Amino acid sequence: MLDATTRSGGTATASPRAAVGPPVPAAATGFSARAARIALSPWSRLSLLVLLLASAGVAVLLFQPQRLLTHGWPAAQLGGAAAALAYAVAYGLCTVAFVPRPLLNLAAGALFGSVLGLGSALAGTVLGAGLAFCLGRVLGQEALRPLLRGKWLKAADGQLSRHGFRSMLAARLFPGVPFAAANYCAAVSRMGLPPFLLATALGSIPNTAAYVVAGARASTPTSPAFLIALACIALPGLAGAVVAWRKRGRLRAR
């Protein structure tokens, strides 16, 4: 409708009506944004990682899935390569839940023999390491990196970030570094996933092969293969202890 300026002789103009939309509740929008920020914050993701790992550890203590593997599952239900592949998947999940790898390696040798058992155990090792690395990288890295203030922590982080492949290869070759600790330390560092997996695969061959052969020849403990396997288990452990002691002395001297 025209708003006529009748007595002043002015020009008639149309008064536009502002478009009025449905009201948006600002409080609801603000609450949703805050809830999303809290849920995606580094400390919330780290808490989720701790909860997942704690739940996995409790599940292992209650249900003892390693007993299923050592007593023949899944070899009893499947056969040949299919059983070895299923064992590798179960192996990887069990390592994320902190089941000791030596036990799983011995079971792989006892169930599948030296060759197929080694392939299954190595595949499970790489799978479990990759899962742990991805969990630590996505859920824990942003929260934990600001806490790297100690001398030893900074040294380990710098070594893994600058020389990731070489450092992880050494950690896998010498059994002094726990498997899960190496996975999550690498995840918190700036090391890439491909060199981490390659170093894990190559560095895990000697130790894994020794346990698998020992498991495959456990019925003949006096055989040369079993005795050589035991020597290959003991000697790297001794060498790793010596190297760790020397590195400890160098770090103290800095």
Side-chain angles (χ1 to χ4, degrees), residues 164-250:
F165 176 80
R166 184 175 65 189
S167 301
M168 188 53 55
L169 184 65
R172 298 307 192 193
L173 284 172
F174 297 106
V177 181
F179 183 73
N183 294 337
Y184 292 109
C185 286
V188 174
S189 74
R190 295 186 176 90
M191 183 180 184
L193 179 60
F196 170 78
L197 294 179
L198 181 59
T200 297
L202 295 178
S204 300
I205 291 176
N207 183 262
T208 304
Y211 277 100
V212 169
V213 171
R217 301 300 180 92
S219 59
T220 55
T222 58
S223 64
F226 183 82
L227 296 177
I228 292 174
L230 288 184
C232 291
I233 292 171
L235 292 178
L238 180 61
V242 172
V243 170
W245 181 261
R246 293 181 62 184
K247 291 286 186 182
R248 177 174 175 267
R250 291 179 183 177

Side-chain angles (χ1 to χ4, degrees), residues 30-225:
F31 176 78
S32 301
R34 285 195 300 271
R37 283 197 301 269
I38 293 174
L40 297 176
S41 66
W43 285 103
S44 295
R45 285 181 284 163
L46 178 62
S47 301
L48 177 60
L49 175 62
V50 172
L51 179 62
L52 289 174
L53 296 181
S55 301
V58 170
V60 168
L61 293 177
L62 293 178
F63 302 107
Q64 297 183 349
Q66 67 272 19
R67 295 182 61 185
L68 296 176
L69 301 180
T70 55
H71 286 84
W73 186 91
Q77 287 75 20
L78 303 172
L85 180 60
Y87 186 89
V89 174
Y91 183 116
L93 296 176
C94 285
T95 57
V96 177
F98 307 110
V99 175
R101 287 183 59 247
L103 178 64
L104 300 175
N105 292 333
L106 290 170
L111 293 174
F112 305 109
S114 299
V115 178
L116 192 58
L118 177 58
S120 179
L122 279 177
T125 297
V126 175
L127 175 62
L131 289 174
F133 183 93
C134 292
L135 284 173
R137 177 62 54 89
V138 173
L139 299 179
Q141 187 189 44
E142 290 186 23
L144 293 177
R145 280 204 65 81
L147 303 180
L148 299 177
R149 297 171 184 173
K151 182 169 60 176
W152 284 34
L153 292 176
K154 285 185 177 180
D157 175 64
Q159 186 70 18
L160 286 171
S161 298
R162 292 190 300 269
H163 311 288
F165 176 80
R166 184 175 65 189
S167 301
M168 188 53 55
L169 184 65
R172 298 307 192 193
L173 284 172
F174 297 106
V177 181
F179 183 73
N183 294 337
Y184 292 109
C185 286
V188 174
S189 74
R190 295 186 176 90
M191 183 180 184
L193 179 60
F196 170 78
L197 294 179
L198 181 59
T200 297
L202 295 178
S204 300
I205 291 176
N207 183 262
T208 304
Y211 277 100
V212 169
V213 171
R217 301 300 180 92
S219 59
T220 55
T222 58
S223 64

